[in-house]
Every structure is written in structure tokens, then in C-alpha cells.
């Protein structure tokens, strides 16, 4: 197949291009090339989507796009309407994160934001713009699949969120951790990429969550530890209240325990039902493998990003227990 990847120099879109090349497809990556280089075996066509100019690209069986910007998706779909489109969206399109086991069929969406907004300065616009991008693809492409990832993990992750845990659990000592009975869900970037390529190959249609299996945090962290250490560490499970009192932030960033989303209103955020995606061809590797490979990547790449509490910050919070 001839596949166009709009991107190809960063984490997921690069993994998609790597997978498509490995499967013997004719792969073109169209992007500026400022974020990295496209994988070996893929052709790079220089494209800056902010200019509105569309290069002479045609003859693709499938297009994979990861954009967040409605005008960029609008012009791309208008240029390549005959292809099968696989659009990578996000679980941030959902309006309600309370229920466990949500699916695209059961969870309402937020309103579309059809204008371009700078999501780096207005991150709250991210989900609404993705809703608009999904609709542009669904309305304009001959056939399409929309994949809505949850938290993506694995080698090359520019966010450093999941990465915190393999790095931390490879080290000794008691480990500060959020509540053991939270539900947590991630997906390995390589599994997601393989499924995106499968969706292109099979002209999969419909809307799916790009998520892994939802597990209790105690099992999740035990599995991460299995991938990076000889023993399961001594976890200091801590309540939301205790962590808030000691100014431990959630989700990502400095002084955070990453991959933690507190509060009843968000308990379903990392608890989607993976069954429809498995039925549509998604295959998942063990979380321990993701953890092991992520740690190996961090140790081999001086530019690898890790976010979260520092060793001293964690030690100080543990001492307050
Ligand atoms: N990370 C997560 O946990 C998570 C969770 C949910 C959903 N998602 C979604 O998953 C996808 C991740 O995609 P990704 O990892 O490939 O990273 P990304 O940052 O979304 O995509 C970046 C790609 O787009 C290209 N690009 C950016 N600006 C461009 C421009 N003006 N013109 C042409 N190309 C441009 C970049 O290449 P150049 O900069 O080289 O041009 C790069 O290859 C996104 O759709 C994201 O919304 C991620």
C-alpha cells in the first residue's frame, strides 16, 4: 500500500511510519522535519501546514493524521478525499469522565471548536478542536476510522509521564504512590501504531478508543516493577488528601505523581472499555515489556524526558507520613 503519514518525526506518528515501513508499505511522511527525522525507509516530503500551501501529493491508499488544528485537517482532507483516512484523536473529546467502562458509543462529546486556537497557550481548546478534526475527516474522506488514544506510553514519549514509573521503580526504597484502588490505563505506542497501520490496511471504519487494559493501580505498578526490577517494591499508597496537603501535583509536570487523575469526576478517564478495540484488531503487549523498553530508552537517550517528583521531593513527602 502507499501510505501518507502527516507527521512522522515524533513519538506516535513516527512509530506509525516505522511500523508501516516494516510491513513493506510505500510510506511518505509529510511534515516540516523540524522535530526530528523520519524513519529509515520512509520518504520525507517537506510540508508546513501553517502556510496553507499543499504540495503535489497524490495516489495514496491511506492517510494517517495526528493534527490538532482544524484548518490543517480541512485542507488535507480536501486535497486527498479518495484515500482511506485514519485520524488520531484523543479521549479528551469526551464530555463526561465519571463512568468506568465508557466506549465511543456510550460517552457524549464536548462541543466542536472549528476555528484554530493555539492549544499550547489554550490547552482547554485541545479536545474541542479534535472533535472538529474528527468531523472534518468523517464528512470529507471516502472512508475513515477515528482512533481516540488515552495515555500513550513507551520509548520516545516526549511527555515523560509514564516514564516516571519505570525509572522510579528501578530504584530501591519505599515508593510514594497514589491510591492503590484507582483505575489506570495506558497503551504502548508500538501497539497503537501497529493498530493504526492495521486500520489503514483493512480500511477499518468507525470510532474507537486507543487504550490498553484498565487495571487497578496496585496491579499496574506491580506490573511496571516486574519489567524493571527483581522485586516488587514497598509502596507507600497515599490518599488524595494526603498528596494534596503535601502539594504533590497530579497527571504530569514538576512535583507530580504522573499518570494520576484524582477526583470522582475523572475516575473514568483512564477506565475505558478496551473490548471494542480488541474486537477491531488491537493487540496489546504486556505492560512489563513497555516498562522495560521505556527504561532502556531513557538510559540510552540523553534527551529522554522524565517528569514528576524529584528524589528529594519524594523523600520529603514520605517522611511526612
Ligand atoms: N501522548 C499522549 O499520551 C496522547 C494522548 C491522547 C492523544 N494523543 C494524540 O496522539 C497523537 C500524537 O502524535 P505524535 O506523537 O506524532 O506527536 P504530535 O506532536 O501530535 O505530532 C507531531 C507531528 O506533526 C508534525 N507537525 C507539527 N506541526 C506541523 C506543521 N505545521 N506542518 C507539518 N507538520 C507538522 C511534526 O513534524 P515536524 O515538527 O517535524 O514538522 C510531527 O511529526 C496526537 O494526535 C495527539 O493528540 C496523544
Amino acid at each position: 500500500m502507499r501510505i501518507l503519514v502527516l507527521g512522522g518525526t515524533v513519538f506516535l506518528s513516527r512509530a506509525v511510519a516505522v511500523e508501516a515501513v516494516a510491513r513493506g508499505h510505500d510510506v511518505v511522511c509529510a511534515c516540516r522535519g523540524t522535530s526530528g527525522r523520519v524513519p529509515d525507509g520512509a520518504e520525507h516530503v517537506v510540508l508546513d501546514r501553517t502556510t496553507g500551501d499543499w504540495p503535489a501529493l497524490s495516489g495514496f491508499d491511506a492517510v494517517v493524521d495526528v493534527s490538532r488544528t482544524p484548518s490543517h485537517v480541512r485542507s488535507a482532507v480536501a486535497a486527498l478525499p479518495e484515500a482511506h483516512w485514519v485520524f488520531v484523536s484523543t479521549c479528551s473529546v469526551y464530555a463526561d469522565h465519571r463512568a468506568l467502562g465508557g466506549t465511543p458509543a456510550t460517552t457524549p462529546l464536548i462541543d466542536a471548536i472549528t476555528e484554530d486556537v493555539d492549544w499550547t497557550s489554550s490547552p482547554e481548546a485541545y479536545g474541542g478542536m479534535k472533535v472538529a478534526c474528527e468531523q472534518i475527516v468523517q464528512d470529507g474522506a471516502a472512508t475513515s476510522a477515528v482512533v481516540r488514544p488515552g495515555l500513550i506510553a513507551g520509548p520516545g514519549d516526549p511527555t515523560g509521564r509514564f516514564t516516571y514509573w519505570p525509572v522510579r521503580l528501578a530504584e530501591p526504597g519505599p515508593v510514594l504512590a497514589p491510591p492503590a484502588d484507582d483505575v489506570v490505563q495506558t497503551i504502548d505506542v508500538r501497539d497503537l501504531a501497529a493498530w493504526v497501520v492495521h486500520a489503514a490496511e483493512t480500511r477499518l471504519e468507525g470510532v474507537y478508543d486507543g487504550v490498553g487494559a484498565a487495571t487497578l493501580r496496585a496491579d499496574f505498578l506491580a506490573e511496571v516493577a516486574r519489567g524493571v526490577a527483581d522485586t516488587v517494591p514497598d509502596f507507600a499508597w497515599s490518599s488524595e488528601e494526603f498528596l494534596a496537603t503535601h502539594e504533590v501535583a497530579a497527571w504530569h509536570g514538576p512535583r507530580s505523581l504522573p499518570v494520576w487523575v484524582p477526583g470522582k469526576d475523572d475516575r473514568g478517564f483512564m477506565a475505558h472499555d478496551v473490548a471494542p478495540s480488541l474486537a477491531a484488531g488491537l493487540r496489546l503487549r504486556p505492560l512489563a515489556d513497555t516498562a522495560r523498553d521505556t527504561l532502556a530508552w531513557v538510559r540510552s537517550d540523553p534527551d529522554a524526558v522524565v517528569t514528576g517528583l524529584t528524589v528529594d521531593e519524594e523523600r520529603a513527602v514520605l517522611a511526612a507520613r
Side-chain angles (χ1 to χ4, degrees):
M1 283 180 79
R2 193 163 145 75
I3 300 180
L4 176 64
V5 178
L6 292 169
T9 53
V10 177
F11 195 37
L12 176 62
S13 57
R14 190 170 201 282
V16 169
V18 166
E19 179 73 20
V21 168
R23 292 190 190 197
H25 297 300
D26 178 5
V27 181
V28 174
C29 296
C31 58
R32 297 164 302 182
T34 51
S35 301
R37 60 174 189 83
V38 308
D40 291 343
E43 180 189 346
H44 180 208
V45 170
V46 177
L47 166 69
D48 183 350
R49 301 175 80 172
T50 59
T51 65
D53 297 334
W54 193 255
L57 288 166
S58 60
F60 293 100
D61 301 296
V63 177
V64 176
D65 195 1
V66 296
S67 178
R68 302 160 171 82
T69 308
S71 72
H72 294 183
V73 177
R74 210 172 279 123
S75 54
V77 171
L80 298 161
E82 303 89 7
H84 178 69
W85 275 67
V86 183
F87 181 71
V88 178
S89 184
T90 170
C91 281
S92 297
V93 296
Y94 292 123
D96 190 336
H97 298 289
R98 288 172 299 181
L100 304 180
T103 70
T106 62
T107 318
L109 299 183
I110 58 178
D111 292 336
I113 297 174
T114 56
E115 302 302 315
D116 296 354
V117 178
D118 178 6
W119 61 272
T120 55
S121 57
S122 304
E124 68 285 354
Y126 168 60
M129 287 201 295
K130 280 288 200 184
V131 173
C133 293
E134 289 185 4
Q135 291 170 355
I136 292 162
V137 170
Q138 289 163 331
D139 293 347
T143 51
S144 66
V146 168
V147 175
R148 297 172 176 160
L151 189 139
I152 308 172
D157 180 2
T159 73
R161 290 179 296 220
F162 172 79
T163 311
Y164 174 87
W165 291 105
V167 169
R168 177 61 191 91
L169 297 186
E171 299 300 325
V175 176
L176 184 71
D181 56 358
D182 284 351
V183 181
V184 186
Q185 185 168 47
T186 60
I187 184 166
D188 188 295
V189 64
R190 297 160 295 181
D191 295 339
L192 183 56
W195 188 41
V196 165
V197 176
H198 170 81
E201 291 170 336
T202 59
R203 297 184 76 91
L204 178 71
E205 295 190 53
V207 182
Y208 304 90
D209 289 327
V211 293
T215 55
L216 295 180
R217 188 179 307 276
D219 298 330
F220 179 86
L221 290 185
E223 184 68 0
V224 172
R226 194 171 71 77
V228 299
D230 295 332
T231 55
V232 175
D234 178 16
F235 287 109
W237 304 112
S238 304
S239 68
E240 292 182 4
E241 295 73 22
F242 172 83
L243 294 172
T245 301
H246 294 279
E247 297 176 341
V248 177
W251 189 235
H252 77 138
R255 224 191 136 74
S256 70
L257 280 178
V259 199
W260 168 46
V261 182
K264 282 196 178 62
D265 286 351
D266 287 320
R267 59 197 279 274
F269 186 68
M270 289 192 286
H272 283 243
D273 181 3
V274 70
S277 305
L278 294 175
L282 174 64
R283 296 293 171 263
L284 301 170
R285 74 193 65 208
L287 179 61
D289 291 1
T290 305
R292 186 194 60 236
D293 296 347
T294 302
L295 183 65
W297 163 66
V298 170
R299 287 179 170 169
S300 69
D301 186 342
D303 297 328
V305 173
V306 185
T307 191
L309 291 172
T310 64
V311 171
D312 288 345
E313 288 167 347
E314 184 196 30
R315 202 170 286 148
V317 178
L318 283 168
R321 280 171 53 91

